[in-house]
């Protein structure tokens, strides 16, 4: 048997065995990398692993990661989430679907704050589910809008998973953030569009409309959301305008979040320390995974698996669309069992050379991957948003999955749109470069 094929089988088998046995993802990656180097190369494993771990732990691009996570933790512990429903509800009460749109808009705002899908879904869900149940909105649509819109935490900048992809693929994080803006807004519009169409087709399942609210009253109820929206706009705008790097923009975000939390009365010594420690734990976990994934990438490169796979795919003469379709199915299958960061670090060493060989833009491909990972958040058996909503609503996982299925297909529609019209992704970064 060819050495590369044998190495690939050992890689896949040992990785599946370790992950299935419950070993941490980072330790699984590190162990498999060491096994690969020990069995199939003559390279000095000890010094290579040590230097790779060190080099992967201090990259400048990673400095924005803990800062953005901390910004989200600060705002998450402020009174923002409590004001979300009250501030958004009056603005959507006249649209078809009415208060169901609060889930979409609320998740969009929280996505820009938290950068995490599960946090976004849980935060908005805890507030909106009781409110919508009290007003007799159909529970399946409440769950569906939350399941779908909760995934916006991965696509709307500042996104934690985009930082991980940018570091792994050596793509500008600033350009990735900007590339996610239009697809994120388009996805929100698609979610709201489907919700509106469903409500028009099922008027008997919707509760009666609430009395209209005067414009000034709408503004007054939204007063606490406006500063947060301005903070998010300043963070993303500073990157887009070339005024600040992602790390500098994250620093602005942290300072702004601390000021807003202090002014709003949500900043105490306890909440400050809780947010700081939570951000540290999350950042260390992600950084550990990235560093160990780099060790596996080095081992895989020494064994020559990426080049062999790229040559094999090239010999099949797949068109770029066919290659993307194959990779999409592969990632959706992985998404049934793994979370997003693990998928990126596990597949990057193999997928990225194949994508580059096919002439596909790595910036565009990053958004393509993020949308697929979003879809994976609402696919069983390991769909994190499904688990979050199951715990909030008390419904069984099958009922939650059924409610989320239409929004999975909306995500697939977005995938088709950005594939047919790549300018949706690349347009703003090109303007930014210009």
């Amino acid at each position: 048997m060819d050495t590369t094929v044998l190495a690939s089988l050992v890689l896949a088998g040992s990785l599946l065995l370790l992950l299935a046995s419950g070993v941490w993802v980072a330790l699984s990656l590190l162990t498999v990398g060491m096994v690969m180097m020990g069995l199939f190369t003559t390279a000095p494993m000890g010094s290579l692993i040590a230097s790779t771990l060190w080099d992967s732990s201090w990259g400048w691009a990673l400095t924005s990661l803990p800062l953005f996570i901390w910004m989200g933790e600060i705002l998450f512990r402020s009174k923002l989430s409590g004001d979300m429903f009250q501030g958004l509800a009056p603005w959507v009460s006249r649209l078809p679907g009415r208060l169901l749109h609060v889930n979409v808009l609320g998740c969009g705002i929280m996505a820009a704050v938290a950068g995490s899908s599960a946090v976004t879904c849980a935060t908005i869900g805890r507030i909106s589910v009781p409110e919508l149940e009290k007003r007799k909105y159909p529970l399946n649509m409440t769950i569906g809008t939350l399941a779908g819109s909760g995934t916006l935490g991965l696509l709307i900048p500042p996104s934690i998973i985009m930082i991980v992809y940018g570091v792994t693929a050596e793509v500008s994080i600033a350009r990735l953030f900007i590339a996610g803006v239009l697809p994120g807004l388009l996805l929100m519009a698609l979610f709201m569009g489907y919700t509106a169409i469903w409500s028009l087709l099922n008027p008997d399942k919707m509760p009666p409309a609430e009395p209209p609210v005067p414009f000034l009253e709408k503004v007054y109820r939204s007063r606490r959301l406006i500063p947060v929206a301005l903070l998010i706009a300043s963070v993303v705008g500073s990157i887009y305008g070339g005024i600040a790097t992602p790390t500098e923009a994250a620093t602005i975000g942290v300072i702004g979040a601390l000021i807003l939390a202090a002014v709003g009365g949500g900043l105490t010594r306890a909440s400050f320390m809780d947010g700081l420690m939570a951000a540290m734990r999350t950042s260390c976990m992600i950084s550990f995974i990235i560093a160990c994934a780099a060790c596996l990438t080095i081992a895989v490169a020494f064994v020559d698996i990426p080049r062999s796979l790229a040559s094999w795919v090239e010999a099949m003469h797949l068109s770029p669309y066919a290659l993307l379709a194959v990779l999409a199915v592969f990632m959706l299958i992985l998404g049934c069992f793994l979370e997003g960061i693990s998928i990126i670090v596990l597949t990057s060493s193999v997928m990225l050379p194949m994508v580059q060989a096919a002439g596909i833009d790595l910036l565009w491909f990053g958004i393509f991957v993020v949308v697929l990972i979003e879809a994976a958040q609402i696919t069983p058996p390991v769909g994190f948003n499904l688990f979050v909503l199951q715990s909030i609503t008390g419904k069984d996982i099958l009922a939650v999955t059924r409610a989320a299925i239409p929004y999975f297909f909306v995500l697939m529609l977005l995938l088709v749109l950005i594939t047919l019209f790549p300018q949706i992704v690349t347009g703003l970064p090109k303007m930014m470069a210009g």
Side-chain angles (χ1 to χ4, degrees), residues 58-131:
W58 62 268
W60 174 248
L62 273 176
T63 53
S64 62
L65 178 71
L67 290 170
F68 277 126
I69 293 173
W70 191 22
M71 181 186 88
E73 292 289 345
I74 294 165
L75 292 174
F76 176 63
R77 284 167 170 75
S78 69
K79 297 178 180 178
L80 167 65
S81 56
D83 297 322
M84 191 78 71
F85 196 94
Q86 182 182 1
L88 292 175
W91 296 98
V92 298
S93 59
R94 312 310 296 173
L95 297 176
R98 297 194 284 280
L99 300 188
L100 290 172
H101 296 299
V102 171
N103 286 344
V104 181
L105 295 174
C107 286
I109 294 173
M110 186 56 65
V113 169
S116 163
S117 175
V119 170
T120 298
C121 188
T123 305
I124 303 302
R126 288 192 194 104
I127 300 157
S128 69
V129 168
E131 292 288 340

Side-chain angles (χ1 to χ4, degrees), residues 179-377:
V181 171
L182 285 183
L185 294 175
L186 176 58
L187 183 57
M188 289 177 66
L190 291 174
F191 283 149
M192 293 179 72
Y194 171 78
T195 304
I197 291 169
W198 185 93
S199 66
L200 290 173
L201 294 176
N202 300 274
D204 56 312
K205 296 181 180 178
M206 296 295 293
E210 297 185 8
V213 177
F215 178 77
L216 291 179
E217 178 66 17
K218 291 180 183 178
V219 175
Y220 178 76
R221 292 188 187 181
S222 306
R223 66 193 183 282
R224 295 185 186 274
L225 298 182
I226 293 171
V228 177
L230 291 175
L231 174 62
I232 295 164
S234 65
V235 169
V236 179
S238 63
I239 297 172
Y240 178 76
I243 301 169
T245 64
T247 303
E248 292 164 348
T251 306
I252 294 169
V254 168
I255 294 170
L258 286 170
I259 293 171
L260 291 180
V263 171
L267 183 64
T268 62
R269 178 182 174 82
S271 67
F272 178 86
M273 292 306 298
D274 286 346
L276 186 60
M277 294 303 292
M280 184 189 71
R281 284 192 295 269
T282 305
S283 303
C284 288
M285 180 267 292
I286 295 172
S287 300
F288 189 29
I289 290 175
I290 292 173
C292 293
C295 295
L296 179 60
T297 301
I298 289 288
V300 166
F302 266 93
V303 181
D304 211 24
I305 292 176
R307 190 193 61 79
S308 300
L309 274 175
S311 302
W312 176 63
V313 170
E314 193 175 358
M316 293 173 65
H317 302 294
L318 290 176
S319 68
Y321 288 137
L323 175 61
L324 288 172
V326 170
L327 292 178
V329 172
F330 173 63
M331 293 194 70
L332 285 174
I333 292 171
L334 280 181
C336 291
F337 306 99
L338 297 172
E339 47 82 35
I341 292 171
S342 301
I343 293 172
I344 287 178
V345 297
L346 280 172
T347 59
S348 59
S349 60
V350 174
M351 269 199 321
L352 295 179
M354 295 163 59
V355 169
Q356 283 181 302
I360 297 169
D361 181 7
L362 286 184
L363 176 73
W364 177 89
F365 186 69
I367 304 302
F368 181 86
V369 167
V370 169
V371 175
L372 283 170
I373 291 173
E374 284 188 290
Q377 297 292 305

Side-chain angles (χ1 to χ4, degrees), residues 386-410:
L386 302 181
F387 293 146
V388 168
L389 289 169
Q390 182 187 21
S391 66
I392 291 174
T393 62
K395 295 292 181 180
D396 64 84
I397 195 68
L398 288 177
V400 175
T401 302
R402 281 196 298 270
I405 284 174
Y407 293 87
F408 172 85
F409 287 112
V410 172

